[in-house]
Amino acid sequence: MSAADFLDAPHLVEFREVVANFLREHWHLVKGEGRLAHERSFRTLATSKGYLYRNVPRAYGGSEQPADVLKAQIIQEEFTRVRAPMEVSGGGYGMLVPTLLACGSEWQKERFIGPTLSGEIRWAQGYSEPNSGSDLASIRTKARLESGQWIIDGQKIWSSGANEADFLFMLARTEPEAPKHAGISYLLVDLRQPGITIRPLRQINGSEEFSEIFFDAATTPADWIVGERGEGWKVSKTTLSAERAGFIGAAEGSMTLHRKLLELAKQCRFNGEPAIHDARIQDRLVVLEGMVNAHYHNMQRQFALRLAGQEPGNVALMNKLIVTRIASEVADICKDILGDDFMLSPFGHEGHAGPEKWLNQYLGSLGIAIAGGTSNIQRNVIAERGLGMPRDPASVS
Ligand SMILES: Cc1cc2nc3c(=O)[nH]c(=O)nc-3n(C[C@H](O)[C@H](O)[C@H](O)COP(=O)(O)OP(=O)(O)OC[C@H]3O[C@@H](n4cnc5c(N)ncnc54)[C@H](O)[C@@H]3O)c2cc1C
């Protein structure tokens, strides 16, 4: 039985109609000037009706709905169908809000969650350092408490969107004498201050998605700490699991990617024939189809477990790996069809399907295998937490 079968229940068909009516009445695409304001007021209305921010209490600006995976699924399908905006994207809602809800103090929830949901304030994540990525607990950026504020010195790297963000949630070493996992605190920091320099990193495709952040006696108030002093490692795990869940994506994303690749293979010529006629390309497309089906069925398993009120555990952990494998395989087949030069050309060639998009897909496939913990680390997590195997010696100290 698939998710679609559950969604046929009469009360859910009725719910879908109510959502569709709401969208017909209140949502239309606005381009150019006024788009952001229109999206913002639409989000506020959709939240008041219970369609967005369902997991966030009303007191902090959410719609506080009972957990209902079937209704959530219908909302997502209907909003996506008419391209209506859902929750604001980025680390604020995706990572910090779940962390504050689980570990933040009351004043932090009241002060930060509402403006984050409305998009009024934007957040970046300051975890990685030049020598601390997978081994995150080895971070060296320090914070010391002096006269009611933290004084921060050090450097972060690969901070997505930091050059456009207002605030940072970061890890800093506050107890230099403690064992490495026990010496870390989770701090919130205003990025607009003289002690902070943000230097964007130029990527191969010309964009500047990430930044280095330098802290030179930067400050943040003593109570801008989430959780207890020295317990930042525990707090950061809440953020990391929210980040990894954000990569999962619905299986529809993988299916669409697969469909587009098939279209490309039909359109492009390879050894004088349409690429889809080439036996080697056919082989690869069939294997890819198997992976996409695996993703679909894994999502169904996850859905069924949630429906039964159980934690998806290992099944959910596997999804980031599946998405990563599919993205990388699609990019690889695409390179086979189009050739390396074509993939890397910023302008592409006339007459082929969406070269810019394929280039971005290829570059994105490299990033997703690293962001939020590399695939190797994800395998370690599955082995240790999911299968109960012995811990990776590299992470024990
Ligand atoms: C798209 C993207 C967005 C990002 N956004 C942010 C952000 O907003 N904020 C932020 O703080 N960081 C961000 N990062 C950084 C990311 O978290 C790190 O790149 C990642 O944790 C890996 O760290 P590293 O680059 O230092 O690689 P390393 O840790 O040096 O790893 C190098 C290689 O060694 C392997 N390896 C390391 N340790 C082990 C082990 N124990 N077992 C097996 N293999 C191992 C890794 O798998 C990898 O292949 C982002 C990265 C990307 C690609």
Side-chain angles (χ1 to χ4, degrees), residues 121-136:
I121 57 172
R122 285 171 297 180
W123 293 85
Q125 177 191 34
Y127 278 21
S128 308
E129 297 184 6
N131 293 309
S132 304
S134 300
D135 184 14
L136 188 59

Side-chain angles (χ1 to χ4, degrees), residues 126-141 155-158 171 173 180 184 233 370 374:
Y127 278 21
S128 308
E129 297 184 6
N131 293 309
S132 304
S134 300
D135 184 14
L136 188 59
S138 67
I139 54 159
R140 284 191 289 187
T141 294
Q155 183 197 342
K156 296 289 172 183
I157 194 168
W158 308 125
L171 297 179
R173 189 158 297 287
K180 71 178 183 182
I184 294 171
W233 186 250
I370 301 171
T374 66

